[in-house]
Amino acid sequence: MSATLPSHESEAIAVAAERRWTWIVGAIIAVLILMMVVTGVHWASMPPSRVETIDVKTLHLRGEFIESNLGTAVESDGRVVVRLIAQQYSFEPQCIAVPADTPVTFRATATDAIHGFIIGRTNANTMVVPGFVATFTTSFSRTGEQLMPCHEYCGTGHEAMWGRVQVLPRDEFMAKARPGERLSCVAR
Ligand SMILES: [Cu+2]
């Protein structure tokens, strides 16, 4: 005798299985919707980075992004801050010097179009939008030179828009850094 069930019994098992799946799938959908609602509300109430605006018309005349203030600074509290400007079709300064194994804060803004940059194979990567200050903090574990291309199409000269980042051993960098001075590796 084979173990075949009477057809009404196998149907009941199939219906029970279907119903179980209905509940499981329903629960998955409910969890996904809940996740969307929670993250949506969370991101709306707490944007990922504070929005810092700047007046494009005056940034070269006064404030943080005047030419003499661009480059790498060791602030009075010891923080290393890089200030740079992106514009069609270059970065200012074109060569940035940073210490290795040290948190480095980048502050960047654009004067004309939307630009962006990525530094070699590091996680430093941001858009640079006119009217806003892009800022992030990262540290570089490997010394040497990295390329820093613009990665937002910004016009006909976009593919020629590059900067360089020189990651110096921390001691070497600190020996070069003078309080109040702005460091870069642009050949003078
Ligand atoms: Cu660009």
Side-chain angles (χ1 to χ4, degrees):
M1 218 17 221
S2 70
T4 6
L5 294 164
S7 70
H8 66 274
E9 244 176 80
S10 59
E11 197 186 318
I13 291 171
V15 167
E18 289 288 342
R19 191 160 294 141
R20 197 161 55 238
W21 270 113
T22 309
W23 281 110
I24 293 170
V25 171
I28 291 171
I29 292 171
V31 166
L32 291 177
I33 290 174
L34 194 72
M35 270 165 58
M36 284 193 284
V37 170
V38 168
T39 51
V41 169
H42 176 80
W43 284 68
S45 57
M46 277 176 269
S49 67
R50 72 219 156 89
V51 176
E52 197 179 331
T53 56
I54 188 162
D55 188 354
V56 176
K57 293 195 291 294
T58 56
L59 66 84
H60 59 295
L61 299 174
R62 55 177 176 267
E64 194 183 343
F65 290 96
I66 55 169
E67 195 177 354
S68 59
N69 202 38
L70 300 177
T72 312
V74 180
E75 307 280 309
S76 51
D77 58 2
R79 286 186 316 135
V80 179
V81 179
V82 177
R83 292 182 181 85
L84 72 149
I85 278 183
Q87 57 199 354
Q88 287 166 323
Y89 297 100
S90 62
F91 292 101
E92 185 62 41
Q94 300 215 23
C95 185
I96 292 163
V98 292
D101 303 315
T102 308
V104 178
T105 298
F106 282 78
R107 291 177 58 75
T109 190
T111 59
D112 40 30
I114 296 178
H115 300 275
F117 63 85
I118 183 167
I119 302 175
R121 291 178 172 231
T122 69
N123 67 349
N125 182 349
T126 186
M127 281 175 81
V128 186
V129 182
F132 297 91
V133 179
T135 179
F136 62 87
T137 301
T138 188
S139 61
F140 300 91
S141 53
R142 224 185 296 159
T143 56
E145 189 169 289
Q146 308 263 10
L147 289 174
M148 188 181 89
C150 175
H151 66 15
E152 289 285 338
Y153 182 76
C154 55
T156 48
H158 166 69
E159 73 279 0
M161 187 169 168
W162 292 82
R164 288 178 298 132
V165 173
Q166 264 178 23
V167 185
L168 303 171
R170 192 183 150 86
D171 299 343
E172 191 183 327
F173 176 90
M174 290 304 172
K176 283 187 181 176
R178 304 260 174 282
E181 268 186 32
R182 303 296 175 247
L183 213 72
S184 79
C185 41
V186 178
R188 285 174 206 277

